[in-house]
Amino acid sequence: MPELPEVETVRAGLAKYVIGKRISSAQSFHPRALKPASIAPLSAIVGAKIISVNRRGKFLWLKLDRDFTLTAHLGMSGQLLVQSSKYPAQSHLRAKLSLQSSSLRSSKDEIRFIDQRTFGWLSVEQIIKDIPTSVAHIAFDPFEAEFDLKSVVAKIKKRKSAIKPTLLNQEIISGIGNIYADEALWRAKIHPEIVCEDLSESEIKKVISSAKKVMQSAITAGGTSFDEQYKNVNGEAGYFARSLSVYGRAGEPCSRCRTGIRRIAFANRSSHFCPRCQR
DNA sequence: CACGGTGCCTGAGAGC
DNA sequence: TGCTCTCAGGCACCGT
């Protein structure tokens, strides 16, 4: 599932291939591919040049030489592939952008948006202070210069809900999904159901720094391809799944204390943790 | 304002 | 073999 490390891998891959290119056509093939809030059809970006590829948390956007942007979210199963238009269409191809190339030999002439479960979307949006409208309410992620650890800790400390759903709340800290939330809590030795108010400031800091560290390691590994849905722009899987300590490892021994990893369901999600390390 | 619950979606895998 | 059911979890939205 694409969380910050996977989206960052896709962002970097896109940046490598598409910056400076002009979009020569843009088509959508599924009614849900374009977000209903999009201010224009996908064809509105035809003729625009891609200036940069940006990310906040799990949101991605192409900065164009226009006063609007193309924003993308991968949802559960979205992929953005950069490949040749000669390559046959994938079964869940939802949209594609053709790139004008200066070199006739360039084979990476298409961005394809593929999405099995259709929770992902593209959207043409206004850009205000460099941020697209659908990203305006999203909190800074821990890799952004503006991320303010102290204020995030203070905000979390006041909350009456459990730490796990709080880590998943993109309006408090962005980029963390179910996999990295479980991994961060295991690293910080904190039980997912502990109420935020009951944690000390240093415990909250530890969870956040653990989240940043585990996500940094995952970026280095090219992301986690746990359910075969996530791929980078070249269609390759990341290999961080082998480095996961708790997610998807119910019943296996904890690598710190050998106690069996437990899986519980709460807040409509599964949580994996070590019942001995995380009290 | 804070927070919990629900809906959207498809294919893999389980169970019969 | 083939049917039906459950599960996976991203975000938006709604009600309390």
Side-chain angles (χ1 to χ4, degrees), chain A residues 1-13:
Chain A
M1 294 126 252
E3 302 181 26
L4 187 151
E6 292 72 36
V7 178
E8 172 55 24
T9 303
V10 170
R11 188 207 63 76

Side-chain angles (χ1 to χ4, degrees), chain A residues 53-108:
Chain A
V53 189
N54 308 277
R55 182 189 58 73
R56 168 169 293 172
K58 307 172 199 172
F59 290 74
L60 205 57
W61 66 94
L62 300 182
K63 188 175 180 184
L64 307 169
D65 61 346
R66 296 289 190 272
D67 57 4
F68 49 81
T69 179
L70 181 71
T71 307
H73 197 290
L74 301 179
M76 289 293 297
S77 56
Q79 299 175 9
L80 286 168
L81 302 182
V82 184
Q83 58 185 202
S84 166
S85 52
K86 290 174 186 156
Y87 200 85
Q90 290 81 356
S91 54
H92 302 296
L93 181 65
R94 306 304 187 198
K96 71 176 180 187
L97 313 182
S98 304
L99 304 172
Q100 206 172 63
S101 170
S102 48
S103 155
L104 290 171
R105 284 168 197 264
S106 175
S107 58
K108 303 267 189 186

Side-chain angles (χ1 to χ4, degrees), chain A residues 58-273:
Chain A
K58 307 172 199 172
F59 290 74
L60 205 57
W61 66 94
L62 300 182
K63 188 175 180 184
L64 307 169
D65 61 346
R66 296 289 190 272
D67 57 4
F68 49 81
T69 179
L70 181 71
T71 307
H73 197 290
L74 301 179
M76 289 293 297
S77 56
Q79 299 175 9
L80 286 168
L81 302 182
V82 184
Q83 58 185 202
S84 166
S85 52
K86 290 174 186 156
Y87 200 85
Q90 290 81 356
S91 54
H92 302 296
L93 181 65
R94 306 304 187 198
K96 71 176 180 187
L97 313 182
S98 304
L99 304 172
Q100 206 172 63
S101 170
S102 48
S103 155
L104 290 171
R105 284 168 197 264
S106 175
S107 58
K108 303 267 189 186
D109 60 347
E110 232 167 56
I111 300 175
R112 294 187 180 184
F113 175 51
I114 295 146
D115 189 11
Q116 180 201 100
R117 296 181 198 169
T118 73
F119 284 5
W121 46 260
L122 304 177
S123 178
V124 180
E125 301 186 345
Q126 275 193 298
I127 186 155
I128 299 166
K129 290 185 197 163
D130 259 7
I131 301 294
T133 49
S134 71
V135 188
H137 67 292
I138 299 300
F140 295 123
D141 71 55
F143 295 93
E144 290 183 279
E146 302 96 321
F147 182 82
D148 181 23
L149 182 62
K150 276 192 179 165
S151 71
V152 175
V153 169
K155 205 169 181 180
I156 293 176
K157 177 74 182 149
K158 286 183 193 140
R159 294 182 67 90
K160 296 172 182 4
S161 54
I163 185 66
K164 169 80 185 277
T166 300
L167 290 175
L168 298 176
N169 187 330
Q170 305 299 306
E171 297 185 29
I172 295 169
I173 177 172
S174 70
I176 303 172
N178 207 37
I179 296 174
Y180 298 107
D182 283 359
E183 295 298 311
L185 289 165
W186 179 82
R187 288 184 177 213
K189 301 187 180 178
I190 291 169
H191 191 288
E193 290 178 296
I194 295 181
V195 171
C196 295
E197 273 187 336
D198 299 337
L199 289 167
S200 68
E201 287 191 9
S202 68
E203 285 173 316
I204 296 168
K205 274 186 195 165
K206 179 94 166 109
V207 180
I208 296 171
S209 70
S210 298
K212 188 175 179 182
K213 279 184 202 159
V214 71
M215 290 196 290
Q216 180 58 66
S217 300
I219 291 169
T220 304
T224 298
S225 298
F226 189 77
D227 63 358
E228 301 302 316
Q229 291 299 338
Y230 163 71
K231 298 273 170 59
N232 71 13
V233 296
N234 294 313
E236 301 152 347
Y239 52 88
F240 195 69
R242 68 184 67 162
S243 305
L244 296 175
S245 299
V246 284
Y247 186 87
R249 297 201 185 279
E252 295 180 33
C254 168
S255 61
R256 275 192 304 244
C257 75
R258 315 316 292 173
T259 302
I261 299 299
R262 277 193 59 197
R263 177 181 175 278
I264 58 169
F266 82 101
N268 286 324
R269 273 191 180 78
S270 63
S271 287
H272 311 72
F273 66 102

